[in-house]
Amino acid sequence: MAIRIKARFRRSEDFEIDVNLNLPASQIVALFGKSGSGKSSILRFIAGLERHPENFLSINGQILQDGTRFVKPEEREIGYVFQNLNLFPHISAMENLKFGLARSKSPSEVELDEIIDILEIKNLLGKFPSELSGGEQQRVAIGRALLSTPRLLLLDEPLSWLDQDLKFRLLNYFKHINRSLQIPIILVSHSFEEVINISDWIYELKDGKAGDKKSVREFSLGHSETQGADQTAVVTCKFIETDIAHSLTNLDFEGDTIYITSPDIKAHDTIRIRIDAKDVSISKNWETETSILNRFPVTIESIIDPGSGPSAILQLNKNKQFFFSKITRKSLYDLSLTEGQVVLAQVKSAALLH
């Protein structure tokens, strides 16, 4: 399924949306940007909640809007989770969920009981929206959207009402839905952590215009300084096993092992971890005994030596993936480090992106 968007319309006298996007099939795409950058306006256009003549939208070859056609929102088979709470106030949480089921034009591939369990809303089903907190209402809204069996799921800052733990469990669930049911997802968010956690591709919006499509790695590198790190990289690993005795999870990283402290990763999971340059040291001595568990060979791809100041940055390659190390310029010279050299990377800390 491919999603084609060509839209140019004014939101106000001095603000215009102007995007030309060809979104990849069956993946998760994030629209990232500050408030007021036009992210939500694009979602509303896709959903058909705003009609702008002479603009174009197609999903899997079906034209939903162009100069002569306009498919009504209720006929688009699009699930939409709004930033603002939008449950029907006159019916219970369970009846809101059943409304999603009733909208489905094909048998639902997610079970009602599964949704209730994943979203932890069993004790909310008999309550009306006015009796629910913001986070509780949002969980019900997410369930309602998924039960409608959408061919495209739009998420407009859907996790802003939720606590951190539930937020990342839901991000995992969205990834599971996308992979297992092949439902493409467009996520709108201003959260760096959310978009690098869930997305396959990221577009950054500024002043109504979208930048180039970026991979998670490209995006994280470009935004590392704004996130408080000298360089941050996101790498992909695969689950090996859980070390119950030491409360560790062992991950395969390009043939070597990375140990992290997260206990709730499932077998066969492919996950992302975040590595900050400040947490990576370099050694040329493979025999050194150390308390650092994550040690493996890498190649120095490039060296950024500013010529003054205390620090230098190394880009380190591990087969097809790369990350960074921030070391002192004195260490750079004392170890006689050069580009193309194979050294030992020692990762003191790797943060799991749930």
Side-chain angles (χ1 to χ4, degrees):
M1 179 182 291
I3 304 161
R4 186 81 176 85
I5 306 165
K6 189 173 183 180
R8 185 175 183 178
F9 54 87
R10 288 200 170 275
R11 297 298 300 141
S12 65
E13 196 172 300
D14 56 355
F15 187 82
E16 181 181 65
I17 300 293
D18 186 2
V19 295
N20 189 347
L21 305 175
N22 192 6
L23 306 186
S26 302
Q27 293 185 308
I28 301 176
V29 175
L31 303 181
F32 175 84
K34 297 178 180 178
S35 296
S37 59
K39 307 183 302 296
S40 297
S41 295
I42 294 172
L43 287 200
R44 292 179 63 82
F45 169 74
I46 296 170
L49 299 179
E50 295 184 7
R51 184 171 183 171
H52 299 283
E54 307 305 323
N55 288 279
F56 182 86
L57 170 68
S58 69
I59 298 179
N60 198 27
Q62 181 192 1
I63 297 175
L64 301 183
Q65 179 171 338
D66 62 9
T68 60
R69 284 166 284 193
F70 181 81
V71 176
K72 296 178 181 178
E74 62 271 21
E75 297 174 358
R76 296 192 176 198
E77 298 179 68
I78 293 176
Y80 196 153
V81 179
F82 295 81
Q83 180 179 10
N84 298 322
L85 305 172
N86 70 327
L87 295 179
F88 297 120
H90 61 288
I91 58 177
S92 68
M94 174 60 92
E95 290 169 322
N96 269 278
L97 294 175
K98 288 181 177 179
F99 177 83
L101 279 173
R103 286 191 63 219
S104 176
K105 294 187 177 182
S106 59
S108 178
E109 297 191 55
V110 289
E111 298 291 336
L112 177 60
D113 287 345
E114 177 189 3
I115 291 288
I116 291 170
D117 181 55
I118 290 291
L119 297 175
E120 300 179 5
I121 54 176
K122 186 174 182 178
N123 63 328
L124 310 178
L125 299 179
K127 297 182 178 180
F128 285 81
S130 60
E131 302 174 283
L132 304 177
S133 69
E136 290 169 342
Q137 290 188 54
Q138 195 69 312
R139 280 183 275 160
V140 175
I142 291 168
R144 185 178 65 184
L146 291 172
L147 288 167
S148 69
T149 318
R151 58 174 172 171
L152 170 64
L153 185 60
L154 307 178
L155 304 176
D156 190 356
E157 303 277 6
L159 308 177
S160 56
W161 294 87
L162 307 179
D163 64 64
Q164 195 74 357
D165 184 54
L166 182 57
K167 179 182 296 187
F168 284 114
R169 289 207 301 278
L170 284 180
L171 285 173
N172 274 335
Y173 186 64
F174 288 140
K175 286 189 282 190
H176 168 71
I177 288 291
N178 170 256
R179 303 297 188 257
S180 61
L181 303 182
Q182 295 295 292
I183 298 175
I185 295 174
I186 302 177
L187 168 73
V188 156
S189 179
H190 65 273
S191 166
F192 176 83
E193 292 288 347
E194 287 178 16
V195 298
I196 65 172
N197 185 299
I198 192 176
S199 308
D200 296 300
W201 301 99
I202 301 165
Y203 289 90
E204 184 167 5
L205 264 73
K206 293 181 180 178
D207 300 323
K209 296 176 176 59
D212 294 335
K213 181 176 71 175
K214 293 183 179 180
S215 68
V216 171
R217 184 168 61 184
E218 292 168 333
F219 177 80
S220 65
L221 294 178
H223 280 264
S224 58
E225 289 187 8
T226 65
Q227 300 306 311
D230 296 281
Q231 288 286 1
T232 294
V234 176
V235 300
T236 301
C237 303
K238 292 185 178 180
F239 175 89
I240 300 176
E241 63 182 354
T242 301
D243 182 349
I244 299 175
H246 301 103
S247 300
L248 294 171
T249 298
N250 304 350
L251 305 176
D252 177 83
F253 175 47
E254 300 290 347
D256 282 293
T257 302
I258 284 184
Y259 302 88
I260 62 174
T261 56
S262 177
D264 55 354
I265 299 174
K266 298 178 181 178
H268 312 299
D269 271 359
T270 297
I271 64 167
R272 297 170 183 167
I273 61 173
R274 172 177 172 169
I275 301 176
D276 289 338
K278 61 181 176 56
D279 292 326
V280 182
S281 62
I282 300 297
S283 174
K284 295 173 70 176
N285 187 345
W286 297 68
E287 304 301 324
T288 301
E289 293 186 358
T290 175
S291 62
I292 299 175
L293 295 176
N294 299 323
R295 307 173 79 226
F296 37 78
V298 295
T299 301
I300 300 176
E301 178 70 16
S302 64
I303 298 174
I304 303 173
D305 179 1
S308 61
S311 303
I313 297 291
L314 311 183
Q315 179 179 325
L316 308 173
N317 276 18
K318 178 67 172 169
N319 294 340
K320 296 181 180 180
Q321 302 195 63
F322 61 85
F323 56 102
F324 296 89
S325 172
K326 179 182 179 181
I327 62 174
T328 64
R329 294 178 64 239
K330 176 175 170 51
S331 296
L332 176 67
Y333 303 141
D334 286 352
L335 292 173
S336 302
L337 299 178
T338 59
E339 294 179 354
Q341 189 175 17
V342 176
V343 295
L344 192 65
Q346 304 180 127
V347 182
K348 292 176 283 185
S349 175
L352 173 68
L353 295 175
H354 297 261

